[in-house]
Amino acid sequence: MNQGFNTISPSYIPSQSTYPPYTNFTTTQVTPTNQGISSNSPANSQYAEGVFRRNIGKKVSVYFSYPDSVEWRDKVFTGTILEDGRDYLLLRDEQNKIILLWLVYINYAIFEEEPNL
Protein backbone atom coordinates (compact mmCIF):
# COMPACT_ATOMS: atom_id res chain seq x y z
CA MET A 1 0.00 0.00 0.00
CA ASN A 2 1.10 3.62 -0.42
CA GLN A 3 2.72 4.49 2.86
CA GLY A 4 2.88 8.18 3.55
CA PHE A 5 0.24 8.97 0.90
CA ASN A 6 -2.10 10.60 3.41
CA THR A 7 0.67 12.82 4.80
CA ILE A 8 1.05 14.72 1.51
CA SER A 9 -1.19 17.76 1.40
CA PRO A 10 -1.84 19.56 -1.90
CA SER A 11 -1.05 23.25 -2.13
CA TYR A 12 -4.01 24.04 -4.40
CA ILE A 13 -7.50 22.73 -3.77
CA PRO A 14 -10.44 23.91 -5.92
CA SER A 15 -13.47 24.58 -3.78
CA GLN A 16 -15.86 23.90 -6.67
CA SER A 17 -15.98 21.65 -9.71
CA THR A 18 -13.52 22.44 -12.47
CA TYR A 19 -16.00 21.44 -15.16
CA PRO A 20 -17.77 24.16 -17.20
CA PRO A 21 -19.40 26.65 -16.72
CA TYR A 22 -16.78 27.68 -14.11
CA THR A 23 -19.12 30.06 -12.32
CA ASN A 24 -18.31 31.50 -8.90
CA PHE A 25 -14.99 29.68 -8.87
CA THR A 26 -12.95 30.22 -5.74
CA THR A 27 -9.66 28.67 -4.74
CA THR A 28 -8.18 27.77 -1.42
CA GLN A 29 -4.45 27.73 -0.89
CA VAL A 30 -3.28 25.49 1.91
CA THR A 31 -0.46 26.93 3.96
CA PRO A 32 1.95 24.80 6.01
CA THR A 33 -0.15 25.52 9.11
CA ASN A 34 -3.29 24.29 7.23
CA GLN A 35 -4.97 27.68 7.29
CA GLY A 36 -7.03 28.15 4.12
CA ILE A 37 -6.89 31.43 2.23
CA SER A 38 -9.82 32.00 -0.14
CA SER A 39 -9.83 34.35 -3.08
CA ASN A 40 -12.70 35.25 -5.37
CA SER A 41 -11.36 38.14 -7.42
CA PRO A 42 -13.27 39.21 -10.56
CA ALA A 43 -9.98 40.53 -11.98
CA ASN A 44 -8.65 36.96 -12.11
CA SER A 45 -11.66 35.58 -13.99
CA GLN A 46 -10.58 36.08 -17.61
CA TYR A 47 -12.05 33.46 -19.89
CA ALA A 48 -11.53 32.84 -23.61
CA GLU A 49 -15.09 33.86 -24.40
CA GLY A 50 -14.60 37.27 -22.81
CA VAL A 51 -11.33 37.93 -24.61
CA PHE A 52 -12.86 37.04 -27.99
CA ARG A 53 -15.97 39.14 -27.24
CA ARG A 54 -13.84 42.23 -26.62
CA ASN A 55 -12.02 41.66 -29.92
CA ILE A 56 -14.88 41.20 -32.40
CA GLY A 57 -13.76 42.38 -35.84
CA LYS A 58 -10.08 41.60 -35.29
CA LYS A 59 -8.09 38.99 -37.18
CA VAL A 60 -6.93 35.99 -35.16
CA SER A 61 -5.28 32.61 -35.66
CA VAL A 62 -6.76 30.01 -33.31
CA TYR A 63 -4.95 26.74 -32.61
CA PHE A 64 -7.02 23.66 -31.83
CA SER A 65 -6.33 20.00 -30.99
CA TYR A 66 -8.82 17.23 -31.65
CA PRO A 67 -7.47 14.25 -29.70
CA ASP A 68 -9.87 11.66 -31.16
CA SER A 69 -9.24 12.57 -34.81
CA VAL A 70 -6.45 11.26 -37.02
CA GLU A 71 -6.94 13.77 -39.87
CA TRP A 72 -7.55 16.83 -37.67
CA ARG A 73 -5.20 16.12 -34.76
CA ASP A 74 -3.92 19.72 -34.69
CA LYS A 75 -5.58 22.45 -36.75
CA VAL A 76 -5.15 26.22 -37.15
CA PHE A 77 -8.08 28.46 -38.11
CA THR A 78 -7.40 32.03 -39.22
CA GLY A 79 -10.05 34.67 -39.73
CA THR A 80 -11.94 37.65 -38.39
CA ILE A 81 -13.93 37.23 -35.19
CA LEU A 82 -17.65 37.61 -35.94
CA GLU A 83 -19.18 36.47 -32.70
CA ASP A 84 -18.52 34.36 -29.65
CA GLY A 85 -20.59 32.59 -27.08
CA ARG A 86 -20.15 30.68 -23.92
CA ASP A 87 -18.55 27.70 -25.67
CA TYR A 88 -18.07 28.67 -29.32
CA LEU A 89 -16.30 31.11 -31.61
CA LEU A 90 -17.52 32.26 -35.03
CA LEU A 91 -14.85 33.27 -37.58
CA ARG A 92 -14.96 34.49 -41.19
CA ASP A 93 -11.97 33.13 -43.10
CA GLU A 94 -10.20 34.58 -46.17
CA GLN A 95 -12.49 32.63 -48.56
CA ASN A 96 -15.48 34.39 -46.92
CA LYS A 97 -16.60 31.15 -45.25
CA ILE A 98 -18.02 31.25 -41.76
CA ILE A 99 -16.46 28.77 -39.34
CA LEU A 100 -18.06 27.67 -36.07
CA LEU A 101 -15.47 26.46 -33.54
CA TRP A 102 -16.13 24.80 -30.17
CA LEU A 103 -13.85 26.37 -27.56
CA VAL A 104 -13.46 23.10 -25.69
CA TYR A 105 -10.72 22.14 -28.20
CA ILE A 106 -8.75 25.43 -28.13
CA ASN A 107 -5.06 25.49 -27.24
CA TYR A 108 -4.25 29.17 -27.81
CA ALA A 109 -4.87 32.15 -30.09
CA ILE A 110 -2.58 34.68 -31.77
CA PHE A 111 -4.01 38.09 -32.65
CA GLU A 112 -2.77 40.05 -35.69
CA GLU A 113 -3.00 43.31 -33.71
CA GLU A 114 -3.00 44.27 -30.04
CA PRO A 115 -6.00 42.54 -28.39
CA ASN A 116 -8.37 44.29 -25.99
CA LEU A 117 -7.92 42.50 -22.69
Side-chain angles (χ1 to χ4, degrees), residues 59-71:
K59 191 169 182 181
V60 67
S61 294
V62 191
Y63 294 76
F64 286 83
S65 288
Y66 301 95
D68 297 330
S69 176
V70 176
E71 303 90 28

Side-chain angles (χ1 to χ4, degrees), residues 43-61:
N44 292 335
S45 59
Q46 295 254 343
Y47 300 104
E49 65 186 77
V51 173
F52 291 130
R53 182 173 298 120
R54 289 186 293 275
N55 290 285
I56 290 176
K58 292 188 178 182
K59 191 169 182 181
V60 67
S61 294

